[in-house]
Amino acid sequence: MSERILGYTDRLSAVPGDVVEFKVSAPLQGKFKARLIRLICGDDSPEGPGFKAEKIDSALDGTYPARQQRIMAGSYVWVTARQPFDLANFTLQAMIWPTLPGNGAPQAILGNYDAANGSGYALYIDESGCLAFRAGGNAPVSTGVKLLGRHWYEVYAVFDAGTGRVTIGHNMMLAYHGMAPSVSATHTLAEPVGEGGRFLIAAWNEDKFAAAHFNGKIDGPRVSARALKVAEIERLRDLPLDVELAQHVVAAWDFSRGIPTVKVSDVSGNRHHGRTINLPTRAMTGWNWDSSDFSFQSKPEHYGAIHFHDDDLYDCGWRTDISFEVPDGLKSGIYCAHVWQKDASGRKTEDFIPFFVRPPRGTATAPLALLIPTASYLAYANHQMISSWWFEELSSCKFATMSEADRYLEEHETFGLSVYDEHTDGSGVCYSSHLRPILNMRPKTDLWQFNADTHLTDWLEKLGIPYDVITDDDLHAEGVECLKPYRCVMTGTHPEYYSKAMLDALQAYTNGGGRLMYMGANGFYWRIAYHAGLPGVIEHRRAEDGMRAWFSEAGEYFMSFTGEMSGLWVRNGRPPNMLVGNAFAAQGFVNAVPYHRTDESRDPRVAFMFDGLGFEPIGDFGTVGGGAAGWEIDRADARLGTPPHALIVAAATDFPDSYHWVNEEMNHTHSAVNGDTNPRVRCDMMFFETPNGGAVFSTGSISYGGSLAFNGYDNNVSRLTENVVKRFVDPTPF
């Protein structure tokens, strides 16, 4: 499958006593080796602190049998029953919205066809983009008319065993449910259909796997045990089923039922239910959506479509190679299973498979917790922006440079996508899972998200500041209870994606007297949801506004997992300013700049913060852009909820024209949008007290963490941050 060793875990967060399962695919036959390390710093760049890891003697260490494990991307519906679909006479029908007709590959709509042995039947779109049908060893039947992408069609195939004739056809559904002239074709099959394989929707069988994945939406698929007339097919289009024809219906699936689940319901009464594989996108507008309602919960009958993609991936499904029980007493922190192989020439291929160890639930081993933004890691997991965004260089104002991970993902298309990417068919990616190798959630990678956050662990370790780690997964599942053992919680450098449960927990923590150190920027920006029944997956929709990678379709802003509207938290009535004082203001990726203290920094309330510091620029150095304020930056705004007593203790304003103002704050396009022309392109460092003796410190910059290690950690960014930590873990109320 690959020329490098790769792996993933079944969980990201673990406590002593939990068993972490590692799934590994190794390119070389024989064995691979593994050892446990505690990761301290992953920044191996020439300017950085260097890669640092502590070797941990553990039961994980050893040599293991090597095997290659296959990734099967592509979504579909698998119907549990099989025998009821081995029919003599039958009619297949569905409403479809194809997005890639004529992509050079067959795309199955529904049937039990098995390509490996040429048995069964399938209604599909052929390589040229025409509606087609195939059965047994017979030659395919095609209409010869290419379907148009992103248009609704009613499609059907009717087979009469008595005559051996099959008729296929389609009607394009025009606006508000008018129909264009129909297209059909009839052919007599020379051979019998034969018993098929599993009945699938949006794929067919091949070598015990699914293949010929459909790209686009499918709504209202039906199977009848009779050769129906066209008028009868149209009568079965709607629910409830036509009473006279219902007796002939074998299965009628209603995708509007069970939207938050993987269940697919047959409403014919025959109970031929199914389940989705690889998480195709649900809560999608169907053929009959008329824009009268925008939520599937209010009008589910208008959300009877599922959008399938040939590159959907939820779980690689690899077998477990290493099972590791987290021992009692293992220090909380970031850990990796370091796995590697060497070929005959001595060439080494290695991977660092991360997971996070926290103390037993309800306990703490330190007054400070580092809150690992695993939700944001998933949002960016295996992103391919650098190769797929046509505006990447325009938005970053620099030439794109591909890393080793970027190149690998460009050459290997089955590792799943991030919510910044588009599917093969151009639709946005709504779901992201950790049940796959995530190449950019590794040390020795770009200084963004995971690897940038190791600047914080490196600094904490160097200064000897005790800390535990907890994750977004823990925060979402347990709420404020997982924060209560700590006097202070420190975020990562880019905690961008938040569920309501997570946001509520942090707000309850600060309201209850907890201290929060927001160590980054562009935080608490996008609203997400976790799946209630599936582990390790988040959902996000790109609703109105925001610095977006793609746009959700009209009517598809509400998340299928929970029914909540997605998009920006500010558009959901929860601006980040209400929690941390500032919010995303601008971004630029050419250089970072220093902060300068303000008059408000002289306030006695923040004297502790500047102990030992003068009025020199703060952070005119750093690994991430050469300064402490940059990449993405936040700004205070009283209109959006910055507390009136908040102090802007330092600010950075000297940003070049490569920094662009966020578009959600623009009323219309104009020229004053960058750091040279717009006073709102600024970075604010903030402090304010919260109820019950708590407080919040906000850096407002993603680059901030990259300045901590400068000059052997002896610098004003490090000193200021140490001052804040010491005061924030002090139990004395503010």
Side-chain angles (χ1 to χ4, degrees):
M1 182 213 65
S2 67
E3 59 275 5
R4 60 177 289 184
I5 192 170
L6 290 167
Y8 65 95
T9 61
D10 67 327
R11 64 174 71 210
L12 290 182
S13 178
V15 300
D18 285 345
V19 175
V20 181
E21 296 185 356
F22 297 85
K23 291 90 169 19
V24 180
S25 181
L28 304 176
Q29 295 182 351
K31 305 286 186 179
F32 72 88
K33 293 185 177 181
R35 65 174 184 171
L36 182 67
I37 65 167
R38 186 169 68 92
L39 182 64
I40 296 170
C41 183
D43 180 4
D44 65 341
S45 67
E47 305 83 11
F51 176 78
K52 303 174 187 177
E54 177 187 2
K55 172 69 176 67
I56 306 294
D57 293 329
S58 74
L60 181 149
D61 300 1
T63 301
Y64 298 87
R67 59 182 166 195
Q68 290 193 14
Q69 306 212 54
R70 186 177 179 182
I71 296 177
M72 296 303 301
S75 59
Y76 58 97
V77 169
W78 168 57
V79 178
T80 307
R82 180 169 175 169
Q83 187 176 359
F85 299 98
D86 291 327
L87 301 168
N89 301 298
F90 57 81
T91 299
L92 310 177
Q93 66 183 96
M95 310 297 291
I96 67 169
W97 193 73
T99 49
L100 275 182
N103 68 342
Q107 299 181 56
I109 301 170
L110 73 164
N112 63 1
Y113 183 70
D114 191 326
N117 55 33
S119 66
Y121 54 84
L123 181 62
Y124 71 106
I125 298 175
D126 67 17
E127 294 82 347
S128 299
C130 306
L131 185 69
F133 175 84
R134 64 191 315 159
N138 295 281
V141 181
S142 171
T143 62
V145 177
K146 183 176 179 178
L147 301 171
L148 295 177
R150 302 173 71 86
H151 287 72
W152 279 106
Y153 290 87
E154 181 176 51
V155 298
Y156 60 87
V158 180
F159 178 67
D160 186 331
T163 63
R165 290 174 56 183
V166 61
T167 299
I168 63 172
H170 62 73
N171 301 308
M172 181 190 288
M173 310 301 290
L174 301 178
Y176 295 97
H177 320 315
M179 286 198 300
S182 61
V183 174
S184 63
T186 300
H187 186 77
T188 300
L189 302 185
E191 299 180 15
V193 171
E195 293 185 2
R198 302 171 300 165
F199 194 94
L200 306 180
I201 301 170
W204 68 40
N205 301 280
E206 186 172 296
D207 295 329
K208 298 182 181 180
F209 295 100
H213 294 282
F214 183 80
N215 285 287
K217 298 180 187 179
I218 298 178
D219 191 351
R222 314 270 191 263
V223 179
S224 299
R226 203 189 85 181
L228 301 178
K229 299 176 182 178
V230 172
E232 293 175 319
I233 292 171
E234 293 176 358
R235 285 165 54 192
L236 282 177
R237 184 190 302 154
D238 297 310
L239 292 174
L241 295 173
D242 182 282
V243 175
E244 180 184 344
L245 296 173
Q247 60 182 313
H248 305 294
V249 175
V250 178
W253 294 282
D254 181 1
F255 294 162
S256 72
R257 298 193 180 194
I259 283 176
T261 73
V262 297
K263 298 177 182 178
V264 170
S265 298
D266 170 24
V267 295
S268 70
N270 296 320
R271 304 176 63 83
H272 297 325
H273 307 307
R275 59 177 293 143
T276 61
I277 306 297
N278 270 335
L279 281 181
T281 313
R282 303 192 73 167
M284 306 301 274
T285 54
W287 72 273
N288 58 343
W289 184 73
D290 61 5
S291 74
S292 60
D293 205 297
F294 281 65
S295 170
F296 71 89
Q297 293 181 308
S298 301
K299 210 164 191 176
E301 64 272 18
H302 281 196
Y303 287 83
I306 295 179
H307 196 144
F308 299 91
H309 308 91
D310 60 9
D311 54 6
D312 280 327
L313 180 64
Y314 163 57
D315 185 349
C316 285
W318 289 358
R319 289 178 290 174
T320 298
D321 294 279
I322 305 171
S323 292
F324 172 64
E325 182 175 342
V326 179
D328 290 339
L330 187 65
K331 184 177 181 179
S332 179
I334 304 174
Y335 288 82
C336 294
H338 179 206
V339 296
W340 72 95
Q341 283 185 311
K342 288 184 179 179
D343 62 19
S345 67
R347 175 183 172 271
K348 184 178 183 180
T349 173
E350 65 179 351
D351 193 16
F352 295 88
I353 309 171
F355 66 105
F356 308 93
V357 174
R358 55 178 290 203
R361 291 173 181 83
T363 69
T365 66
L368 172 68
L370 177 60
L371 179 55
I372 303 291
T374 46
S376 295
Y377 296 170
L378 291 193
Y380 283 92
N382 289 342
H383 75 79
Q384 298 181 40
M385 291 180 274
I386 201 162
S387 59
S388 62
W389 280 16
W390 62 268
F391 56 89
E392 165 68 17
E393 292 183 337
L394 297 175
S395 65
S396 62
C397 295
K398 63 182 180 181
F399 289 117
T401 303
M402 296 185 74
S403 67
E404 180 184 351
D406 293 328
R407 293 194 300 271
Y408 195 85
L409 291 170
E410 179 75 8
E411 296 166 0
H412 301 79
E413 300 178 350
T414 59
F415 284 93
L417 299 166
S418 76
V419 299
Y420 283 83
D421 296 312
E422 294 179 342
H423 289 288
T424 308
D425 67 357
S427 60
V429 178
C430 294
Y431 307 137
S432 182
S433 161
H434 79 249
L435 297 174
R436 54 183 170 135
I438 299 176
L439 275 65
N440 58 343
M441 196 174 75
R442 298 291 192 265
K444 303 183 181 182
T445 56
D446 291 342
L447 295 175
W448 188 257
Q449 291 290 334
F450 175 85
N451 206 25
D453 288 343
T454 67
H455 286 148
L456 303 179
T457 53
D458 176 56
W459 178 80
L460 290 166
E461 294 282 343
K462 180 66 177 180
L463 270 64
I465 298 173
Y467 68 97
D468 290 338
V469 301
I470 53 179
T471 71
D472 284 353
D473 298 48
D474 305 316
L475 184 64
H476 176 82
E478 301 172 26
V480 71
E481 292 303 315
C482 81
L483 304 178
K484 284 182 176 179
Y486 301 99
R487 296 194 196 111
C488 177
V489 172
M490 176 185 287
T491 75
T493 60
H494 195 183
E496 184 176 1
Y497 289 81
Y498 257 64
S499 70
K500 183 177 184 297
M502 293 159 60
L503 199 59
D504 288 347
L506 269 185
Q507 192 71 70
Y509 175 73
T510 58
N511 288 348
R515 288 82 182 268
L516 178 63
M517 295 180 66
Y518 172 33
M519 296 295 291
N522 187 213
F524 323 104
Y525 188 65
W526 291 112
R527 184 174 189 166
I528 64 161
Y530 281 83
H531 198 284
L534 296 179
V537 61
I538 63 167
E539 178 178 9
H540 174 64
R541 307 270 175 129
R542 303 285 182 186
E544 300 291 352
D545 258 345
M547 302 290 271
R548 290 175 288 177
W550 48 270
F551 304 108
S552 290
E553 297 281 346
E556 296 174 354
Y557 295 168
F558 288 78
M559 293 182 286
S560 63
F561 291 178
T562 59
E564 300 167 310
M565 191 172 115
S566 192
L568 295 177
W569 267 114
V570 67
R571 295 289 181 257
N572 278 269
R574 299 282 294 271
N577 312 69
M578 299 169 66
L579 176 67
V580 292
N582 52 20
F584 190 28
Q587 65 183 26
F589 303 100
V590 175
N591 68 303
V593 301
Y595 299 88
H596 296 274
R597 288 181 60 175
T598 66
D599 289 341
E600 292 181 21
S601 71
R602 300 177 185 274
D603 192 300
R605 291 160 54 200
V606 289
F608 71 91
M609 189 181 301
F610 296 100
D611 182 31
L613 300 179
F615 272 80
E616 72 277 5
I618 299 172
D620 53 350
F621 46 79
T623 302
V624 183
W631 258 221
E632 292 181 352
I633 55 175
D634 290 358
R635 185 193 73 245
D637 194 328
R639 300 172 305 164
L640 295 176
T642 300
H645 64 291
L647 299 174
I648 300 175
V649 297
T653 59
D654 190 22
F655 292 101
D657 60 7
S658 59
Y659 275 75
H660 299 139
W661 188 30
V662 292
N663 61 11
E664 62 264 25
E665 294 188 339
M666 299 181 196
N667 292 337
H668 58 84
T669 56
H670 53 82
S671 58
V673 298
N674 63 55
D676 273 349
T677 57
N678 193 329
R680 294 190 180 185
V681 176
R682 58 178 286 143
C683 177
D684 293 331
M685 183 187 295
M686 306 192 67
F687 168 84
F688 60 92
E689 299 88 352
T690 61
N692 299 301
V696 172
F697 167 74
S698 296
T699 68
S701 166
I702 283 181
S703 295
Y704 187 92
S707 298
L708 291 167
F710 177 76
N711 191 37
Y713 308 85
D714 183 12
N715 61 75
N716 53 19
V717 173
S718 177
R719 179 62 183 267
L720 185 152
T721 310
E722 183 182 11
N723 289 342
V724 174
V725 170
K726 286 181 176 179
R727 178 63 185 91
F728 273 38
V729 298
D730 184 335
T732 305
F734 280 94

